[in-house]
Amino acid sequence: MLSFISITINIISLGLFNAIQNLIKSHRSRNWPSCIGKLKYWDIQSKEADEGIETQIKRFNYLYTIEQVEFEGTRIGFGFPDSLRDGGFDQKDFDEILKNAPALKIYYSPKNPSESTLCVGVKNFHLTSVLFHLFIFIMAIVFVFQKLI
């Protein structure tokens, strides 16, 4: 039982670590240089869930050139999967990204130009994710202490 609890807390810790890491990268990316790239591929698929709620899946693929080297990216924003579902990502951010399509403003890491994103800065999603994982982590610790006492 103790090993199961230990594994569970480790998995929850990894989720919390990942959420914090995405928050930090999103914050740092707001100071990254930008370039104009081009949209290579994008797709929006609407799907209806069992509850009758429609969700959209957005996929992006873009190209950009830094110092005569071409790179390809799929990241919309840190913490968001490459295939983005509605939720956490404001429609105004999405509209801003595509306003000049197929030209895109792409932000890239000055230390590693192959690391890029379309959306920079901390969004509500990042804070919600950290708080959610922190809450689950604290609840797991409380559960463990209750079992040990």
Side-chain angles (χ1 to χ4, degrees), residues 39-57:
L39 191 56
K40 179 180 176 185
Y41 167 84
W42 73 294
D43 182 37
I44 299 178
Q45 297 175 354
S46 294
K47 294 190 177 188
E48 192 170 315
D50 293 336
E51 303 83 32
I53 299 171
E54 185 176 301
T55 184
Q56 289 185 338
I57 300 172

Side-chain angles (χ1 to χ4, degrees), residues 104-118:
L104 296 175
K105 187 172 187 178
I106 298 166
Y107 299 88
Y108 62 93
S109 169
K111 294 179 183 175
N112 178 12
S114 66
E115 185 175 34
S116 63
T117 185
L118 298 176

